[in-house]
Each structure stands twice: as C-alpha cells, then as structure tokens.
C-alpha cells in the first residue's frame, strides 16, 4: 500500500514530517504512472524512471540543505542535556536510536526509498506482461539500471539506501 511505498508500515512510527513530505510525491507518481494516463505507457519505461530521478534531483537541495539539518537540530540541546548528570542522557540516546532506525540513510535516502518503493510496486505489477514480451522486459531492465546508476552516482545516494 502507500505505507509500503513510503518505506513504513501503517502506524510504523516513522518520521511523520518526512512522510508528509513524501505523500504528495507519491500522489503525483500514482497520478502519472498508474491508470490510463498518457504518461503511463508500457513502451516508455524511461518516463517513470526519469520522473523519479527528476524528483530526487529537484528536491535534493531542500532535503540536504534544509530538512536534514532541521532533523539533526535537536542533537545540540540533547548533547548539552546529556552532559548534565540526569536522565536526559537517556533521552538523547533514544533520539539517536530513533534516527538510526527510521532514517539511516538521511532524508534523501528516505525520500528515494519511498519513490523507488512505488516504482518497484509498479514494476512487480507489470512483470508478468513484460516477461511475456522480452524486448519490453529488456527495455525496462536497462532503464532500471540507468536509474539506479543515476541515483547512486550523480545524486550520491549511499549504497545502503533502498533504491
């Protein structure tokens, strides 16, 4: 479902601000690449891959320059609190574990995982018909490899990011 595509299960306790950011991107993805839209053409798999890369490219400055620092902003007060002999050190550790569990590859990795999750779901649905047409399968496969290369190398998503 939508939660799966966003990288979180229903009620998964993820980073709600990132989920709020991702939902319009997924809605646009579904609008263009699910159903009977002209953009949802089986003979043009490059369109869906290019869309995902373009979304990541256009949002990367905001994600890395604004959102990621805001996500880390609570760390300074937590570090200060942790230096005092109180239970606040435990709060800092819980926050760090939470970030580590729910956003291990940073905000760009989280958004890429959401978009690529929607893309994977689309490809899984299309797989039987693509396998029946080897040229269609090979075309989509080639575009998938090019998309991953672009996300990993040009946009510098870490190897651990789920793309």
């Amino acid at each position: 479902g939508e939660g799966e595509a966003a990288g979180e299960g229903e009620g998964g306790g993820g980073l709600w601000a990132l989920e709020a950011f991702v939902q319009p991107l997924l809605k646009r993805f579904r609008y263009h690449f699910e159903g009977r839209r002209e953009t949802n053409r089986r003979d043009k798999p490059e369109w869906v891959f290019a869309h995902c890369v373009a979304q990541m490219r256009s949002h990367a400055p905001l994600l890395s320059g604004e959102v990621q620092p805001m996500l880390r902003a609570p760390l300074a007060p937590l570090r200060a609190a942790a230096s005092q002999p109180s239970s606040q050190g435990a709060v800092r550790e819980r926050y760090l574990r939470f970030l580590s569990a729910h956003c291990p590859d940073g905000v760009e990795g989280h958004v890429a995982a959401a978009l690529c999750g929607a893309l994977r779901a689309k490809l899984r649905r299309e797989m039987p018909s693509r396998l029946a047409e080897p040229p269609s399968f090979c075309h989509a496969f080639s575009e998938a490899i090019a998309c991953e290369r672009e996300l990993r190398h040009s946009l510098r998503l870490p190897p651990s990011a789920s793309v």
Side-chain angles (χ1 to χ4, degrees):
E2 289 176 10
E4 175 187 308
E8 295 293 332
E10 292 297 322
L15 299 171
W16 59 265
L18 287 182
E19 294 308 313
F21 183 87
V22 162
Q23 289 310 310
L25 299 178
L26 294 176
K27 184 175 183 179
R28 185 174 183 190
F29 179 93
R30 287 188 300 270
Y31 175 84
H32 285 290
F33 302 107
E34 294 178 7
R36 300 182 187 267
R37 301 268 181 237
E38 179 63 26
T39 49
N40 189 21
R41 291 181 48 181
R42 287 185 34 79
D43 64 328
K44 299 287 187 184
E46 61 270 22
W47 289 0
V48 69
F49 291 108
H51 171 79
C52 290
V53 169
Q55 290 297 307
M56 287 305 302
R57 190 178 302 283
S58 70
H59 290 94
L62 173 70
L63 293 169
S64 63
E66 300 294 329
V67 179
Q68 188 72 41
M70 283 190 283
L71 184 64
R72 290 192 176 133
L75 292 180
L78 288 171
R79 279 190 190 103
S83 67
Q84 299 175 6
S86 70
S87 65
Q88 294 302 313
V91 172
R92 175 184 178 273
E93 290 307 313
R94 279 196 311 269
Y95 182 72
L96 291 173
R97 280 194 308 274
F98 179 82
L99 281 182
S100 197
H102 293 287
C103 202
D105 299 309
V107 294
E108 286 180 86
H110 186 85
V111 173
L115 284 170
C116 290
L119 185 54
R120 275 191 303 277
K122 175 182 175 49
L123 291 173
R124 272 195 295 273
R125 285 190 305 273
E126 294 177 351
M127 189 59 67
S129 61
R130 287 203 185 273
L131 287 173
E133 301 172 29
S136 173
F137 173 79
C138 290
H139 187 188
F141 185 75
S142 174
E143 293 299 328
I145 298 296
C147 178
E148 182 172 10
R149 186 179 318 117
E150 183 74 14
L151 290 173
R152 299 251 185 239
H153 299 291
S154 298
L155 295 173
R156 297 191 175 130
L157 287 177
S160 58
S162 176
V163 295

